[in-house]
Amino acid sequence: MNFNYDIIVVGAGHAGCEAAVAAANMGSKTLLITMDMNKIAQMSCNPAVGGIAKGQIVREIDALGGQMGIVSDRTAIQFRMLNRSKGPAMWSPRVQSDRMKFIATWREIIENTPNLYMWQDTVTELLLKNGSVAGVKTKMQVEFTAKAVVLTNGTFLNGLMHIGKVQISGGRVAEPASFGLSEQLRDAGFKADRMKTGTPVRIDGRSVDFSLLEEQKGDDDFHKFSYLPHVQRQLIQRSCWIANTSEYVHEALREGLSDSPLYNGQIKSIGPRYCPSIETKIVTFSQKTSHQLFLEPEGEHTNEYYLNGFSSSLPLQTQLNALQRIPAFRNVHIFRPGYAIEYDFFDPTQLYATLETKHIKNLFFAGQINGTTGYEEAAGQGLIAGINAHINCHGGNPFVLHRDEAYIGVLIDDLITKGVDEPYRMFTSRAEYRILLRQDNADERLTRKGFEIGLAKHDRIQLLDEKEAEIAKLIDFISNFSVKADRINPFLERIGTAPLKRGVKLIELLSRPHIDIETLTEEIAPLKAQVEQIPNRRDEIVESANIKIKYDGYIKREKLMADKISRLEDIRIKDKFNYNEIQSLSTEARQKLTKINPETIAQASRIPGVSPNDISVLLILLGR
């Protein structure tokens, strides 16, 4: 047994698993400490990965050489590409997962990763030395030393669960809370607060009348999360089901509001605006007489279902009464009620972009400890924290993703620059360069970066080179092949678009909204022959070429905007000013700039309360 490591990761949730595997794969001797080795990467809430903007994060994790996309594909029981009716910047992959197989697959990866070790215990204290972290101490009174520590404690720091007036100490149902670390970090100068999240009731599918629900099947095409061709969906695919509440259901819920921890003063923490509980919905949207619910299977063979949209902390009997008023659930049996949970988090403006803390050197925070919500947001942070913890131990430049490079970059920049006033959840609207940050091109944006730091392996670079070469070859053919008007006009008239008056290059036809490469291959034999020559991942390559051609103008314009802003990213101002002495700045700007101490002018410009005039003042002082 060894008690000395390069890196210790505390917590084996989605952030902790990514951090530990990344650090170990890069060469650091890593210890992953968890309370329960049988619940690694537990899906505490919904057994699903991805969704709007979150799916892009998972593809980015995979492109960099992380694991979440691989695990999600291997344990998927349903795949859907959301937002297909919108432009490709909005397309977002999502899978329904087998909860138990998800855990087992992660466990298999961790146990077979060189340099990675596990210990089952609870961390109660950080070992500190000269302003730097030196290791951890556990509940069993074991001391482990390390050059860097990554905290990914999720909802366990002083966690408290609520079901009506019932309060249970814990980080998850049937799992104990963690005490000691929050108090130590507060004493070290960290600013902490409390947040609240919740989870819905779990339902026995044998008690559901599925004939009264609307079936929602998954997609059956080439899309998935991982860019590795050998990683495929291998489980039986299952449907989800749609139900709706009614005013009759809402009446039952209102009867229990006086006992709701959210409304009787029992919970005072900050809750999620974008994933509200059912009781919050009926109060906030009182004019709505119905809310949509999704009944989602928890696994390939289980009868356990998750009722998405029915998150609640109401008393058990209130939840049950309301459910029984939905026709499909009139005879419902539940495995457990929904509950709310309060937990400690730390103001993320106390972090650098590497996710290292400003107060203690070589200490990193990732996941819900930073005020975020969601497996994907946690995993993205965990990956970056694990990478930078390794770099701090072994040397190299900090690894930071910018806002025009990745949703992960947007996420971390938002956290460290703006802080949080509610659980942070990623949306496409948070990314100003979302047409650059599409789900289809995450490998083009990030795989070479992952390879340069030693995380993504050579096989990923080879796959990327092959893909880019085939896309370029296809676009070159389409750009140079001419099509005659009399040859294509019958097809154009058949699909209801204007006929040609003269021959054009094929690329001009593709600018029309209802025409794509797939439809044209059936009409133009040389194009079909060109497509059929693509040896591997044909559908993926054709889709990518299609997007690049159709949205070329938008992509170039957004890239130009990003390049202009990136010049401000090169103007470093960290520790160059005593902002309190610059009277030409607004009072709010002086306070915010002093608190954040931004790295660059670009980061300063994104701080709420710092105006364009304040940025001009700083540029003048820099002689620009």
Side-chain angles (χ1 to χ4, degrees), residues 48-346:
V49 172
I52 307 300
K54 293 167 174 280
Q56 283 88 325
I57 291 176
V58 181
R59 296 222 84 191
E60 291 172 356
I61 290 168
D62 184 77
L64 285 165
Q67 305 299 314
M68 188 178 228
I70 295 170
V71 177
S72 299
D73 284 337
R74 286 180 174 166
T75 60
I77 55 175
Q78 187 191 89
F79 180 94
R80 293 181 66 218
M81 183 67 76
L82 306 184
N83 275 348
R84 286 303 295 266
S85 62
K86 300 179 181 178
M90 308 294 283
W91 297 355
S92 300
R94 179 188 187 273
V95 298
Q96 197 69 27
S97 303
D98 184 304
R99 184 189 298 277
M100 299 309 295
K101 288 185 170 69
F102 193 92
I103 293 170
T105 304
W106 254 117
R107 173 82 181 251
E108 180 185 350
I109 288 170
I110 287 168
E111 287 190 349
N112 289 282
T113 298
N115 305 313
L116 181 52
Y117 305 87
M118 281 190 288
W119 178 256
Q120 184 165 301
D121 203 346
T122 301
V123 170
T124 56
E125 184 182 342
L126 295 171
L127 304 179
L128 304 175
K129 186 177 180 181
N130 300 325
S132 180
V133 73
V136 301
K137 186 175 181 179
T138 74
K139 200 170 186 178
M140 292 184 191
Q141 299 298 301
V142 182
E143 292 190 1
F144 296 98
T145 61
K147 299 171 186 174
V149 172
V150 184
L151 293 185
T152 67
N153 303 75
T155 58
F156 284 81
L157 292 177
N158 295 328
L160 181 65
M161 294 176 285
H162 302 261
I163 306 169
K165 293 180 179 179
V166 177
Q167 294 183 325
I168 304 168
S169 174
R172 264 193 305 252
V173 68
E175 296 182 60
S178 172
F179 302 99
L181 281 177
S182 288
E183 293 73 17
Q184 183 186 14
L185 290 168
R186 283 190 181 95
D187 290 344
F190 285 87
K191 181 185 174 186
D193 207 336
R194 299 279 280 173
M195 274 190 179
K196 169 258 170 189
T197 189
T199 189
V201 61
R202 300 309 200 271
I203 287 175
D204 186 340
R206 294 170 298 180
S207 64
V208 175
D209 186 346
F210 286 94
S211 68
L212 300 176
L213 298 174
E214 177 188 343
E215 187 173 11
Q216 185 183 54
K217 293 185 177 181
D219 299 342
D220 184 21
D221 63 14
F222 71 94
H223 289 108
K224 58 192 184 77
F225 279 119
S226 181
Y227 287 96
L228 297 173
H230 67 272
V231 177
Q232 297 290 337
R233 293 192 290 280
Q234 38 193 239
L235 304 184
I236 295 169
Q237 300 298 286
R238 295 188 65 181
S239 294
C240 295
W241 303 83
I242 300 173
N244 291 280
T245 64
S246 64
E247 189 55 36
Y248 184 45
V249 176
H250 298 177
E251 286 174 10
L253 293 168
R254 288 191 194 99
E255 288 172 7
L257 281 180
S258 60
D259 292 324
S260 166
L262 293 176
Y263 294 100
N264 65 11
Q266 192 171 305
I267 291 179
K268 297 182 174 65
S269 312
I270 312 163
R273 186 192 322 173
Y274 299 107
C275 189
S277 63
I278 190 67
E279 56 263 41
T280 301
K281 288 179 186 177
I282 65 168
V283 171
T284 306
F285 308 105
S286 56
Q287 74 283 5
K288 289 197 68 173
T289 57
S290 177
H291 294 282
Q292 202 168 55
L293 306 175
F294 296 88
L295 190 65
E296 301 171 338
E298 296 252 336
E300 188 180 18
H301 300 294
T302 183
N303 285 314
E304 186 178 359
Y305 281 80
Y306 173 99
L307 190 58
N308 199 337
F310 203 84
S311 178
S312 181
S313 60
L314 286 164
L316 165 60
Q317 196 58 50
T318 303
Q319 294 184 41
L320 194 55
N321 291 344
L323 284 173
Q324 289 171 339
R325 294 187 180 193
I326 297 171
F329 303 143
R330 61 177 174 264
N331 297 313
V332 72
H333 175 84
I334 66 174
F335 290 123
R336 76 160 190 255
Y339 64 88
I341 181 167
E342 292 183 285
Y343 55 94
D344 291 347
F345 80 98
F346 292 86

Side-chain angles (χ1 to χ4, degrees), residues 405-454:
E405 294 176 322
Y407 271 91
I408 296 172
V410 175
L411 163 66
I412 292 174
D413 185 68
D414 279 353
L415 292 175
I416 66 169
T417 303
K418 301 174 183 177
V420 292
D421 56 9
E422 62 181 323
Y424 182 102
R425 180 180 181 181
M426 180 53 72
F427 293 101
T428 51
S429 59
R430 296 193 191 274
E432 58 269 45
Y433 306 118
R434 57 184 173 268
I435 201 162
L436 300 180
L437 308 182
R438 306 182 310 276
Q439 62 83 30
D440 66 284
N441 72 343
D443 55 343
E444 297 174 54
R445 292 184 274 122
L446 299 174
T447 294
R448 287 191 177 86
K449 290 180 180 293
F451 181 72
E452 286 165 5
I453 60 172

Side-chain angles (χ1 to χ4, degrees), residues 16 165 233 261 352 363 370 390 477 485 515 572 579 594:
K165 293 180 179 179
R233 293 192 290 280
Y352 297 115
L363 176 64
N370 291 334
H390 169 84
F477 175 86
I515 297 177
R572 308 198 68 78
Y579 296 107
T594 298

